[in-house]
Amino acid sequence: MELCTRTFTSFLLFNPSFSSNSLLLRANANATPFKFNSLKLSSFSPHIHLFRPFISPHTSSSSFTVSAASSSSSVAVGTEQDRLPAELKVTETEQPNSSVRLHVEVPSLVCEDCYKRVIAEFMKQAKIPGFRPGKKVPESILISYVGSQNVQKATIESILRRTLSHAMTSVTGKALQDSVRIVTKFSEMEETYSSLGSLRYDVIVDIAPEIKWIPDNNAFKNLKIVVEIDSDIDAQRASEQEFRRRYKSIGALKVVTDRGLQVGDVAVIDISATTIDQDESNIKNIPSAESKGFNFDTEDGDKVLPGFLDSIIGIHRGESKSFPLVFPETWKQESLRGVHAQFTVECKELFYRDLPELDDSIADKLLPGCTTLEQVKDFLFQRCLEVEQTAREQATDNAILDQISKMVEVDIPQSLFEEQGRQLYGANLLEIQAKMKLNEQQLASLSSPKAVNQYLEHQKENITNLIKQNLAVGDIYRRENLQFATEDLVKEVENSIAEFKRQKQEYDEERVKDQVQEILEGAKVLEWLREHAEIQYITR
């Protein structure tokens, strides 16, 4: 998991005369901060990179981070052919958040062998005055030229490179990609090596978390889901409202001169509101309920505070009315629920609609290309039906995902939490950038570690729930042996890459493939769950 772009500053103080192809490890400086794939296991490739760490509360500033990805700057170590001259002693201890601590003891035989390799490499590269290139240099002269401290640092790095993959054998196939951290301070390793001729270091690695279903592993097979559907998306109701809106839009507004407000009119009103309290000193204005020059369509009376329309029926242009109302307990703004308020409304303007005859002659004005009102109504209904179906499916999927996230217990690794959170933050940042065209200073501020960490803290619950959903979906996919067509994967990958190219954006084809695969797997799981769940729809 690539949590941030990192660079590596070598511990070896290079002598300018040395070749750049030294033993020292170099990091891939092109790592991408935000990665789209969720859970990846590391196979502990022999191509290992030691990185300076991403500093977190769980990692000291002197520890290393290890990536199992390969790059052109890597040095092959720890292969099957590279057998160690002695066995390592590895003690494994379970840690919180699905992580394991490995205490690695490297015997002196291995350390001595690594020392000889370092000396041999320096011998090849060193350009020491008085010695021809390739000529064997006495070890004491070589060490004096290179510096004993530099030789020691390079030897310790060589030991780490060579022994790490051997030490990780017990977690091969379980470790999360790029989650390995050598947490022992380099200064401590230097001290141990100097005094004992051996090395000890501790590694912490996150492993794939185990999912526990509640109450049992078959819990997801008998889901009972209640899906709340907003009444506004009901196709019949929505199409009727859209038809009425279009009909009103082709009418003319005319000034009312001889009567008060009636249902069907449009009034321009000023609204003010205060709380009601016997103690006048406690009376306060309610800014969120106030408005100047508000265009109030009386046919939308069901969308305002209950009792508001009835209280102003009959009001004339230039007239004011004052009346008390109580905000219901279901009011969207929580702070106003149950509040007793005194409203004052002044009618500034009053209009009625002069509508044409409702017959087939206006069909083309309501919807170009239609010749009858029935055609208009049928088209609007079909379009609203599609919207309703899409909204219903989305609401169903959301309810299912919410339900299964509550049915699993999982100890989430910190690296997985940070990766998911950074991925979400990166997506949000891209949206903000697209909408607001941030300048470099704004972008740098929003990309700072402080801003990212604040997001991770504030969105902890949401990020955790999303991870639980993703892990639950993946577990169901494996348990039920679900599959999707290979041609679907190929097609979607091609479409995604084409979109990246159209937008002139860089992309990683393997990463795109991983993301598309996850989406297709998720779609298969949701399809399976919808078929096997007991779903009840209620309108709110």
Side-chain angles (χ1 to χ4, degrees):
M1 283 169 234
E2 297 169 359
L3 301 181
C4 62
T5 304
R6 291 165 260 188
T7 57
F8 179 76
T9 305
S10 170
F11 288 107
L12 178 63
L13 304 177
F14 283 94
N15 185 304
S17 64
F18 291 165
S19 164
S20 61
N21 297 319
S22 76
L23 273 173
L24 273 293
L25 305 173
R26 294 177 293 279
N28 179 2
N30 298 318
T32 305
F34 303 107
K35 189 172 181 179
F36 289 100
N37 2 350
S38 57
L39 184 62
K40 292 295 178 185
L41 300 182
S42 170
S43 59
F44 291 102
S45 157
H47 301 286
I48 304 294
H49 307 283
L50 298 188
F51 289 78
R52 289 289 189 186
F54 170 76
I55 305 302
S56 75
H58 307 281
T59 310
S60 72
S61 61
S62 301
S63 59
F64 308 94
T65 299
V66 180
S67 168
S70 61
S71 80
S72 59
S73 63
S74 64
V75 178
V77 295
T79 62
E80 291 183 8
Q81 291 76 23
D82 182 24
R83 298 186 180 278
L84 300 177
E87 292 291 326
L88 304 179
K89 182 180 179 181
V90 181
T91 305
E92 182 176 321
T93 307
E94 289 188 7
Q95 301 283 297
N97 304 116
S98 295
S99 62
V100 172
R101 177 183 286 266
L102 301 174
H103 177 68
V104 185
E105 297 183 31
V106 184
S108 56
L109 275 175
V110 176
C111 295
E112 178 64 24
D113 192 58
C114 290
Y115 170 79
K116 290 178 179 178
R117 292 188 178 200
V118 168
I119 291 297
E121 186 66 23
F122 275 130
M123 196 78 72
K124 293 178 185 176
Q125 297 181 17
K127 297 179 180 178
I128 301 176
F131 292 89
R132 293 192 301 272
K135 179 73 174 179
K136 186 173 181 180
V137 180
E139 187 174 313
S140 58
I141 295 177
L142 177 66
I143 294 175
S144 177
Y145 181 76
V146 174
S148 59
Q149 282 295 106
N150 291 335
V151 172
Q152 179 174 286
K153 290 177 187 295
T155 301
I156 293 173
E157 290 183 355
S158 175
I159 295 168
L160 293 175
R161 287 202 310 269
R162 192 174 174 196
T163 61
L164 186 60
S165 60
H166 293 277
M168 306 301 296
T169 304
S170 64
V171 292
T172 299
K174 297 189 297 181
L176 298 188
Q177 182 174 311
D178 299 343
S179 71
V180 185
R181 289 96 70 198
I182 298 177
V183 295
T184 304
K185 292 182 179 180
F186 196 81
S187 58
E188 293 177 5
M189 290 188 277
E190 285 185 298
E191 185 177 343
T192 302
Y193 179 74
S194 296
S195 59
L196 302 177
S198 60
L199 197 67
R200 294 192 296 265
Y201 61 91
D202 282 5
V203 175
I204 292 182
V205 57
D206 292 335
I207 61 175
E210 294 183 4
I211 297 176
K212 180 182 178 182
W213 287 91
I214 304 171
D216 56 56
N217 287 335
N218 293 317
F220 63 85
K221 296 183 178 181
N222 302 296
L223 293 182
K224 292 183 179 181
I225 305 294
V226 177
V227 183
E228 291 188 350
I229 302 295
D230 196 319
S231 59
D232 287 343
I233 70 166
D234 177 77
Q236 187 61 48
R237 177 178 175 178
S239 63
E240 290 173 356
Q241 289 178 339
E242 177 62 14
F243 181 86
R244 180 65 182 172
R245 186 193 67 77
R246 289 171 181 252
Y247 178 48
K248 290 192 297 184
S249 70
I250 63 175
L253 286 177
K254 296 188 176 181
V255 177
V256 174
T257 58
D258 57 350
R259 62 171 175 80
L261 181 69
Q262 296 177 356
V263 174
D265 292 342
V266 175
V268 179
I269 56 179
D270 289 346
I271 307 170
S272 60
T274 61
T275 58
I276 295 176
D277 198 303
Q278 292 182 348
D279 184 354
E280 293 186 1
S281 63
N282 289 332
I283 294 176
K284 299 177 181 178
N285 291 332
I286 309 176
S288 59
E290 298 181 343
S291 182
K292 295 287 186 182
F294 177 58
N295 288 330
F296 178 48
D297 187 340
T298 54
E299 290 190 359
D300 295 333
D302 59 337
K303 297 180 180 179
V304 295
L305 188 64
F308 183 86
L309 174 60
D310 291 339
S311 298
I312 64 172
I313 286 294
I315 193 173
H316 286 73
R317 180 172 177 263
E319 183 182 357
S320 294
K321 281 192 175 184
S322 186
F323 48 90
L325 291 175
V326 179
F327 286 90
E329 293 298 332
T330 56
W331 196 250
K332 289 183 178 180
Q333 193 172 345
E334 293 184 15
S335 61
L336 293 179
R337 291 175 184 175
V339 171
H340 291 249
Q342 186 70 26
F343 283 84
T344 299
V345 175
E346 181 183 357
C347 182
K348 311 295 286 187
E349 301 286 348
L350 189 57
F351 304 94
Y352 70 93
R353 284 192 174 87
D354 185 15
L355 296 172
E357 192 73 24
L358 192 59
D359 56 31
D360 291 343
S361 65
I362 64 170
D364 186 63
K365 293 180 179 179
L366 297 176
L367 189 65
C370 291
T371 56
T372 68
L373 293 181
E374 283 304 312
Q375 284 182 333
V376 175
K377 292 179 179 179
D378 183 62
F379 179 87
L380 293 178
F381 177 73
Q382 291 301 322
R383 191 164 68 177
C384 289
L385 201 60
E386 293 174 4
V387 173
E388 178 188 352
Q389 182 62 27
T390 300
R392 181 181 290 261
E393 290 176 356
Q394 185 63 62
T396 303
D397 289 347
N398 290 342
I400 290 174
L401 291 171
D402 183 61
Q403 179 82 342
I404 62 174
S405 71
K406 296 174 181 177
M407 299 171 66
V408 294
E409 289 183 354
V410 57
D411 196 15
I412 298 174
Q414 182 65 20
S415 59
L416 185 56
F417 173 82
E418 290 186 356
E419 179 189 22
Q420 183 68 71
R422 292 172 189 280
Q423 175 184 324
L424 291 175
Y425 188 75
N428 290 340
L429 198 57
L430 287 175
E431 288 183 12
I432 294 173
Q433 171 72 343
K435 292 177 181 177
M436 301 178 61
K437 302 299 181 184
L438 303 174
N439 59 40
E440 289 186 9
Q441 184 177 357
Q442 291 171 321
L443 194 58
S445 176
L446 289 173
S447 304
S448 67
K450 180 180 178 181
V452 175
N453 289 333
Q454 285 178 343
Y455 177 84
L456 295 179
E457 182 63 30
H458 293 159
Q459 296 295 319
K460 184 174 183 178
E461 184 176 352
N462 291 337
I463 295 170
T464 299
N465 286 336
L466 183 57
I467 292 173
K468 291 172 71 175
Q469 289 175 8
N470 290 340
L471 293 175
V473 166
D475 193 54
I476 294 171
Y477 188 86
R478 290 186 293 272
R479 286 178 184 272
E480 297 304 315
N481 295 315
L482 301 179
Q483 293 182 335
F484 57 82
T486 303
E487 53 266 29
D488 290 343
L489 177 63
V490 174
K491 180 180 177 181
E492 291 301 325
V493 169
E494 290 175 349
N495 291 340
S496 297
I497 290 177
E499 181 62 20
F500 276 116
K501 290 180 177 179
R502 190 179 70 81
Q503 297 288 344
K504 296 181 179 180
Q505 294 181 354
E506 295 183 1
Y507 64 91
D508 182 313
E509 187 167 344
E510 280 303 311
R511 190 170 294 177
V512 172
K513 183 178 178 181
D514 286 339
Q515 184 184 17
V516 170
Q517 182 170 326
E518 289 175 2
I519 293 172
L520 293 176
E521 289 178 1
K524 275 295 178 184
V525 170
L526 286 170
E527 179 184 337
W528 186 92
L529 289 172
R530 284 195 297 267
E531 291 176 355
H532 291 79
E534 181 182 320
I535 303 174
Q536 176 187 357
Y537 294 94
I538 60 175
T539 303
R540 60 185 176 188

